[in-house]
Amino acid sequence: VADFVDTAQLHVRAGRGGAGAVSFRREAHVAKGGPDGGDGGSGGSVFLKASSAQSSLIGLRDHPFRAAQDGGHGRGKNRHGAAGDDLVVELPVGTVVKTLEGDFVAEVLDPAVVYEIARGGRGGAGNARFLSNRRRAPAFGEQGELGEEKWFNLELKLMADVALVGEPNVGKSSLISVMSRARPKIADYPFTTLIPHLGVVVSPERGNFVVADVPGLIEGAADGRGLGHEFLRHIERARVLALVCDISQGERECLASVLTLLGELVRYRSELGERPRLLVGTKLDLCQDTSEASERARSVAAATECARYVVVSNATHEGVRECMGAFSEYVSRARESSSVVSAEVVHRPAPRFEVEVKRISEDRFELSGRDALRAVSLSDITTQDALSVVHGRLTRIGAIRALRRAGAIQGDEVMIGDYVFVYEDD
Ligand SMILES: Nc1nc2c(ncn2[C@@H]2O[C@H](COP(=O)(O)OP(=O)(O)OP(=O)(O)O)[C@@H](O)[C@H]2O)c(=O)[nH]1
Ligand SMILES: [Mg+2]
């Protein structure tokens, strides 16, 4: 039996941090007061979490680009920029998230667990932060840091919300093909469908849900008759069972057919008897009297404890809309009752300084990585003041030590972003 896998790619961009402001206080009698440039706000981060309201990744295929909000810039009078809003991307329960290189990132299962996958950029410090005894009038602020930006591969092993269970030839494949874009083979002979097919039913009001069209079930299936019970595991995972029968038959035949289905399901797994179930009577267009057919469905549903019944024609599409409505209603209910509520947990990748040293030639090195770039991200690094700030930062993140270890000596060139510095032995 084939495994149904839904895949999509996701591109996320966390918000950029706002720039720190360069500003000096204006006072009535002072030409130039102290620095009062506020800090930039941090950019929003991007998180992933499971949501039982989602059932497929098709939404992401249409909109793969998701971004959190940028932080606001700092302003004068020590006004700080606002932090950008985070973005939470909701994925169907069971989605496996990997990098494009195939490294495992997360499997979202519990709606209370949130995964940080792209960190927002830190806001830049305003010039007020750079005031010190030696530096009375810092004329530089710090730029905001870029947010992380990444691609991910997503993979979801589809689980059906509704399984269409019925004897061969009753119109299960026909029904899924009028409700979704699934196109299983349809033909007027039993066992046309040999493997389960899944279709995503698009329901803007209640959220999409997945319907499984499984091969026809006959008496003895639980013992391996017909196509056996290989595919019954797809039914096992469905939240709602739709028992499908040909309602153009007499009431006795319909009832016998549904009782057979129920008997086989329960024999396979007794819990299936407790699963919410609906009755779908097909081939309504072949009935002389539709209200009589409806009455037949009502009484079969009552006798077999189906929560609801609908009658449809896959030929004229009569009743199909109502059938989809009934499915989505019961799927929503089942999702609500199964959603666990526990305390929220946030997973963040362990923070560490990101500095990389690469020797480009005999006397040239390149420093890269988020923290190295941040160390030089001042609005103006041409002043001695600013350079000493840069040096202090490079020391703190271990960049100077890393350069020494990599063999840098007095006079070597060190490239960081767009800048070139000269390495000096302290
Ligand atoms: N008139 C009419 N014919 C239908 C309707 N639904 C299905 N059929 C026909 O019934 C036959 C069987 O339909 P399928 O959808 O292949 O039935 P199935 O339940 O998937 O059958 P298996 O895959 O063999 O279990 C086809 O000839 C369909 O065209 C309906 O509502 N009205
Ligand atoms: Mg079929």
Side-chain angles (χ1 to χ4, degrees):
V1 176
D3 256 327
F4 299 95
V5 181
D6 195 9
T7 60
Q9 290 200 318
L10 169 66
H11 179 269
V12 296
R13 190 179 69 76
R16 186 186 177 137
V22 178
S23 163
F24 294 94
R25 239 186 314 279
R26 263 180 248 260
E27 285 162 35
H29 308 290
V30 191
K32 202 177 188 185
D36 71 350
D39 301 338
S42 53
S45 296
V46 183
F47 297 89
L48 295 181
K49 75 175 224 178
S51 161
S52 47
Q54 306 287 325
S55 61
S56 108
L57 298 172
I58 53 168
L60 276 174
R61 260 186 253 163
D62 297 339
H63 304 282
F65 295 96
R66 306 294 174 98
Q69 201 182 25
D70 292 340
H73 298 312
R75 289 180 298 158
K77 297 185 183 161
N78 286 315
R79 284 170 299 181
H80 300 317
D85 289 338
D86 290 335
L87 176 76
V88 179
V89 179
E90 297 193 338
L91 300 173
V93 176
T95 304
V96 174
V97 183
K98 291 181 179 170
T99 65
L100 291 194
E101 293 74 45
D103 293 326
F104 177 86
V105 175
E107 177 175 14
V108 300
L109 291 170
D110 182 344
V113 180
V114 183
Y115 298 85
E116 184 189 69
I117 51 158
R119 213 178 332 144
R122 283 171 287 188
N127 68 335
R129 296 247 180 243
F130 293 99
L131 180 69
S132 71
N133 284 335
R134 288 182 297 120
R135 203 187 297 128
R136 304 307 308 170
F140 55 88
E142 192 181 24
Q143 289 161 356
E145 190 181 38
L146 286 176
E148 288 185 317
E149 208 171 320
K150 298 175 186 172
W151 276 103
F152 293 98
N153 274 328
L154 309 182
E155 200 180 284
L156 174 66
K157 293 211 169 47
L158 277 187
M159 285 187 268
D161 293 303
V162 181
L164 302 179
V165 184
E167 291 189 308
N169 224 29
V170 295
K172 301 177 296 296
S173 299
S174 304
L175 182 62
I176 201 174
S177 70
V178 296
M179 293 199 305
S180 75
R181 284 162 64 178
R183 291 290 173 266
K185 188 173 169 197
I186 294 167
D188 195 12
Y189 55 85
F191 300 116
T192 304
T193 303
L194 299 174
I195 57 164
H197 289 256
L198 296 196
V200 176
V201 178
V202 179
S203 160
E205 311 89 53
R206 281 215 169 87
N208 301 346
F209 59 93
V210 178
V211 176
D213 168 27
V214 291
L217 204 60
I218 58 168
E219 191 164 4
D223 307 319
R225 275 193 68 209
L227 292 174
H229 58 254
E230 250 293 273
F231 56 84
L232 284 174
R233 69 186 178 88
H234 287 277
I235 298 176
E236 214 176 317
R237 297 200 231 151
R239 300 172 200 271
V240 176
L241 304 179
L243 305 180
V244 187
C245 73
D246 174 354
I247 206 68
S248 71
Q249 306 171 96
E251 180 166 336
R252 189 192 298 267
E253 287 85 350
C254 289
L255 182 59
S257 161
V258 177
L259 287 174
T260 301
L261 298 174
L262 268 178
E264 292 304 321
L265 292 176
V266 171
R267 239 153 41 85
Y268 174 71
R269 286 266 181 282
S270 59
E271 309 93 87
L272 288 174
E274 315 302 319
R275 207 59 61 85
R277 57 178 181 258
L278 312 175
L279 180 75
V280 181
T282 55
K283 311 200 183 184
L284 185 61
D285 56 294
L286 299 184
C287 302
Q288 308 292 340
D289 184 340
T290 58
S291 60
E292 196 185 278
S294 208
E295 178 51 31
R296 199 150 55 230
R298 194 196 60 73
S299 97
V300 172
T304 55
E305 296 179 339
C306 288
R308 225 174 119 178
Y309 70 92
V310 285
V311 286
V312 301
S313 164
N314 297 315
T316 66
H317 297 189
E318 187 179 350
V320 168
R321 186 152 272 289
E322 193 193 337
C323 180
M324 286 164 60
F327 283 3
S328 77
E329 181 187 332
Y330 279 85
V331 167
S332 305
R333 285 193 197 183
R335 283 179 183 165
E336 275 161 28
S337 64
S338 72
S339 65
V340 276
V341 185
S342 45
E344 190 161 281
V345 178
V346 180
H347 282 284
R348 286 177 208 278
R352 57 185 166 83
F353 287 129
E354 289 171 23
V355 182
E356 239 175 89
V357 180
K358 209 163 81 190
R359 188 169 204 148
I360 303 172
S361 66
E362 186 55 30
D363 54 0
R364 255 186 153 204
F365 292 83
E366 185 181 39
L367 274 187
S368 57
R370 195 176 159 91
D371 292 292
L373 292 176
R374 179 177 166 82
V376 300
S377 67
L378 300 181
S379 57
D380 174 7
I381 62 166
T382 58
T383 64
Q384 191 56 46
D385 270 357
L387 278 176
S388 72
V389 168
V390 170
H391 187 265
R393 289 179 166 187
L394 290 175
T395 307
R396 206 165 335 117
I397 64 176
I400 305 287
R401 196 162 6 106
L403 279 168
R404 194 177 310 132
R405 227 181 298 134
I409 54 163
Q410 178 82 27
D412 284 352
E413 282 183 350
V414 179
M415 296 167 55
I416 311 175
D418 296 333
Y419 300 103
V420 178
F421 298 88
V422 176
Y423 180 82
E424 312 229 351
D425 273 332
D426 273 344

